[in-house]
Amino acid sequence: MEDTIAAVATAYGEGGIGIIRISGENALPILQEVFEFYGDADTFVSRRMTYGRIIDKENNQLIDEVLAVYMKGPKTYTAEDVVEINCHGSMVSLRKTLALVLRKGARLAEPGEFTKRAFLNGRLDLSQAEAVIDMIRAKTDRSFDVAVSQLEGGLSLKVEEIRQKLLDLLVDITVNIDYPDEDIEEMTYEKLEENIVEAHGMIEKLLATASTGKMIREGIKIAIVGKPNVGKSSLMNGLLKETRAIVTDIPGTTRDTIEEVLSIRNIPVYLVDTAGIRETSDKVEKMGIEKSKEAFNQADFILFLLDGSQPLEEEDLQIMELLEDRKSLVLINKRDLGAVLSAEEISAKLPASQVIEASLLQGQGITEIEDAVEELVYGGEITQKESMMVNNVRHIELLQQGRRSLEDALQMTQMREALDFIEVDVKSAYEQLGEIIGETVSDDIINEVFARFCLGK
């Protein structure tokens, strides 16, 4: 924290501008060492962009023509003095400018160290800091909105509300344990149970958003499976709304898995078009089928295609056996060629799967699939407009631990155990929730969280 740190804050590669970020006590003195003013300016004014150039004064070498801004702490991203040098977006310019800044006394920042300093200096709590990386990695407007809500403190406020309730409860328990003879309100087991149940319900409400939040943050993996020539590639092209996979009437055209990332109703989706699963002597096709089975096993959701103009074959039945315990949607394709298979027949064999009749050639069925994906993610319980969701695995685990601690406390309350034992579990829940916002978290966890950040953030 006593060092002045520096790093390239923009993505590597060619661009209009590239930014060197410096943070720490010596940010301004280092800038003054490497910067030469143009025009009448001869000093830096906080939060005012200044035109000049970066000079290696020891070697009298011009490095770049730049705009630089000095921002005096604590009202900065890191709550320290911060400098940003806007160079031309050349990797050479950025490399030379950064090397000069490091030579003048800064050290290279570790991944996420700017945001780590914002946390350590009290500008962000830990859950807000984690939201920063979620914003950077957001793949859809929806996942970005959820990250923004968390950055603004949406989750922090909910967690603090529960912790305050638990803290009030702990105070009442402690007073009743330490000063039983004083003239204070007695903590009855009925009142204790009521408060624990209320706090438990608040945690449950947060955890109800976890499954949806996690899928919005990380996306869902969908595998398109079926025997050869049932329309898997046509389905992929229809969902992508572009021609990505080769479509022919020759069985076995797709020899390998084709993976694409897309957004369905603002949900990030990893779509995998697989080779048709069947018995074959073709070595290349056999390798593709093995990869198809691997994609099937790893997928969160299966889109199973059938040729509705043909009766079920052995390959269809083999895949259907694998679908019994999986979240899936069955698409009976090629309705334009006549109806041999019915939705009722397939539903009888796969009662847990949704069945759709369609003709991909005529553009039918895509909307229904998008509806099914949306239903899978939101489940009718969480609305698209709800912005406060728990989407981080670390947060989910800590909430679950807090819930278990309160369940233990509730059980002991109902058994009328001593207040000392109940206090231990309530305190555990309080501390577990504190780890979400960084109040009671260890240094190892802090370092692990910020190690996931990119350099310069």
Side-chain angles (χ1 to χ4, degrees):
M1 289 289 288
E2 295 177 359
D3 294 341
T4 296
I5 57 174
V8 177
T10 44
Y12 283 85
E14 294 182 4
I17 62 169
I19 298 175
I20 303 290
R21 176 179 286 164
I22 311 169
S23 180
E25 185 179 357
N26 293 320
L28 180 58
I30 289 172
L31 176 62
Q32 291 168 330
E33 282 279 320
V34 303
F35 189 88
E36 184 177 275
F37 293 92
Y38 274 142
D40 297 330
D42 60 359
T43 187
F44 288 98
V45 178
S46 181
R47 291 172 176 75
R48 181 180 295 175
M49 196 72 80
T50 305
Y51 175 46
R53 55 187 185 173
I54 299 297
I55 297 282
D56 182 347
K57 296 176 183 177
E58 294 176 9
N59 300 309
N60 196 29
Q61 180 187 8
L62 170 65
I63 293 179
D64 198 2
E65 185 179 16
V66 302
L67 289 169
V69 59
Y70 159 65
M71 294 166 277
K72 184 171 179 57
K75 293 185 178 180
T76 63
Y77 184 71
T78 61
E80 302 173 334
D81 286 357
V82 171
V83 162
E84 290 187 353
I85 304 172
N86 292 257
C87 308
H88 287 93
S90 157
M91 283 307 304
V92 176
S93 169
L94 289 169
R95 176 172 51 80
K96 286 188 172 184
T97 303
L98 179 59
L100 183 59
V101 166
L102 297 178
R103 214 166 73 215
K104 295 301 179 181
R107 71 163 170 82
L108 187 64
E110 297 172 0
E113 190 168 3
F114 291 97
T115 306
K116 184 178 181 179
R117 290 193 174 197
F119 163 67
L120 294 174
N121 288 325
R123 202 185 77 77
L124 301 172
D125 67 37
L126 194 55
S127 69
Q128 289 174 305
E130 288 171 291
V132 173
I133 197 67
D134 288 346
M135 288 178 66
I136 293 171
R137 293 176 177 172
K139 297 175 179 63
T140 66
D141 291 348
R142 190 73 185 90
S143 53
F144 185 83
D145 290 344
V146 172
V148 168
S149 173
Q150 186 172 318
L151 180 61
E152 290 181 336
L155 176 61
S156 305
L157 289 172
K158 295 288 186 184
V159 170
E160 284 287 14
E161 185 182 354
I162 303 171
R163 292 188 82 227
Q164 186 59 54
K165 186 163 196 64
L166 294 177
L167 182 59
D168 293 342
L169 187 56
L170 283 170
V171 169
D172 288 341
I173 292 173
T174 302
V175 168
N176 275 266
I177 291 173
D178 294 344
Y179 307 102
D181 299 327
E182 297 294 328
D183 185 19
I184 54 174
E185 183 181 356
E186 182 184 359
M187 170 60 72
T188 65
Y189 283 104
E190 289 75 18
K191 183 179 178 182
L192 192 55
E193 182 175 340
E194 180 184 335
N195 287 328
I196 293 172
V197 167
E198 187 176 350
H200 183 275
M202 294 166 76
I203 293 178
E204 283 282 12
K205 191 172 181 181
L206 282 177
L207 282 171
T209 69
S211 177
T212 297
K214 191 168 179 287
M215 284 190 276
I216 288 173
R217 179 180 188 248
E218 299 177 4
I220 58 174
K221 192 167 188 177
I222 298 178
I224 304 173
V225 301
K227 67 184 181 184
N229 205 32
V230 292
K232 297 188 299 299
S233 296
S234 296
L235 175 56
M236 184 171 209
N237 292 339
L239 290 170
L240 290 170
K241 297 177 175 55
E242 64 177 70
T243 302
R244 173 66 177 86
I246 298 171
V247 178
T248 74
D249 57 0
I250 303 171
T253 306
T254 301
R255 298 297 189 94
D256 198 355
T257 55
I258 300 174
E259 299 190 22
E260 285 289 338
V261 180
L262 69 153
S263 173
I264 294 180
R265 307 282 172 85
N266 260 322
I267 300 160
V269 170
Y270 300 88
L271 191 64
V272 185
D273 178 19
T274 67
I277 298 176
R278 64 170 178 172
E279 294 297 324
T280 178
S281 58
D282 187 312
K283 290 184 178 180
V284 177
E285 188 179 358
K286 188 176 290 185
M287 291 171 66
I289 291 170
E290 287 304 313
K291 292 190 72 174
S292 297
K293 291 177 180 177
E294 183 180 338
F296 178 94
N297 292 329
Q298 293 176 350
D300 301 303
F301 189 62
I302 307 295
L303 287 177
F304 174 40
L305 265 71
L306 291 167
D307 183 345
S309 66
Q310 301 290 333
L312 290 174
E313 297 182 353
E314 184 60 32
E315 289 111 320
D316 299 318
L317 295 172
Q318 288 175 359
I319 297 172
M320 290 172 80
E321 287 181 10
L322 300 174
L323 285 177
E324 289 181 359
D325 299 322
R326 302 296 300 273
K327 292 180 179 178
S328 61
L329 180 146
V330 182
L331 187 74
I332 302 176
N333 190 27
K334 302 189 180 183
R335 270 290 173 256
D336 52 294
L337 299 180
V340 174
L341 286 180
S342 68
E344 291 75 18
E345 179 184 354
I346 303 304
S347 292
K349 294 181 179 295
L350 293 171
S353 299
Q354 182 179 349
V355 182
I356 296 172
E357 298 184 27
S359 169
L360 294 173
L361 183 65
Q362 298 176 347
Q364 299 172 3
I366 300 298
T367 300
E368 289 83 355
I369 291 171
E370 292 175 343
D371 290 341
V373 171
E374 185 177 25
E375 175 65 21
L376 169 71
V377 173
Y378 290 98
E381 298 178 6
I382 309 298
T383 67
Q384 278 269 23
K385 294 180 181 179
E386 191 163 346
S387 60
M388 215 309 294
M389 294 184 188
V390 183
N391 62 0
N392 184 299
V393 172
R394 190 181 74 87
H395 301 166
I396 294 169
E397 289 177 352
L398 288 167
L399 285 167
Q400 289 172 339
Q401 289 174 24
R403 178 176 62 182
R404 285 194 294 271
S405 293
L406 289 183
E407 286 168 354
D408 290 341
L410 182 60
Q411 184 178 14
M412 284 192 289
T413 300
Q414 292 168 342
M415 294 169 63
R416 300 301 190 259
E417 294 284 357
L419 291 179
D420 306 67
F421 299 136
I422 299 169
E423 180 188 30
V424 171
D425 286 316
V426 174
K427 187 175 181 181
S428 291
Y430 177 79
E431 291 176 347
Q432 285 151 356
L433 295 180
E435 287 190 45
I436 295 175
I437 56 178
E439 289 287 340
T440 56
V441 73
S442 68
D443 290 344
D444 289 342
I445 296 296
I446 292 172
N447 292 334
E448 183 182 334
V449 166
F450 289 104
R452 300 170 186 166
F453 279 58
C454 52
L455 196 65
K457 191 59 186 170

